[in-house]
Amino acid sequence: MYQNWCFDDDIETECFVEVALTFNDGSRRWCILTTPDKLVEHFASNSIDPPGIHIRHLIIMKTLNWEDVENTLRHLDHQGELEALTIALNDGE
């Protein structure tokens, strides 16, 4: 189970926001969050190349407010899915 999490990017300015999680065993993992509106913003740019994305550790949220993120991460953790949806964070490398 995870203990806590934090945003690693500015949720107001970034389309894809990295989130770091700390688990009860002390391990740290990360994933990326976005919203449908932020995806539209990303694809509206004329400068994206390639014109598609594939990110296996991406979680699409209704909003990036703290309560929604907390509830979603807690739900995924209780379902046993959170570890598979995140990537190990190698601190100090």
Side-chain angles (χ1 to χ4, degrees), residues 20-53:
L21 302 100
T22 303
F23 286 78
N24 289 343
D25 64 1
S27 66
R28 293 177 31 92
R29 300 182 69 81
W30 68 280
C31 63
I32 296 173
L33 304 180
T34 196
T35 66
D37 290 341
K38 288 185 177 288
L39 284 172
V40 168
E41 179 184 334
H42 172 75
F43 285 112
S45 171
N46 291 328
S47 63
I48 64 166
D49 185 36
I53 58 172

Side-chain angles (χ1 to χ4, degrees), residues 38-81:
K38 288 185 177 288
L39 284 172
V40 168
E41 179 184 334
H42 172 75
F43 285 112
S45 171
N46 291 328
S47 63
I48 64 166
D49 185 36
I53 58 172
H54 174 277
I55 305 172
R56 82 173 167 85
H57 53 282
L58 173 67
I59 300 171
I60 301 173
M61 305 284 307
K62 180 178 180 179
T63 74
L64 293 180
N65 73 42
W66 193 91
E67 293 82 12
D68 284 350
V69 173
E70 175 68 18
N71 288 339
T72 299
L73 294 176
R74 186 76 50 209
H75 172 77
L76 293 169
D77 198 25
H78 286 304
Q79 296 298 312
E81 298 174 346

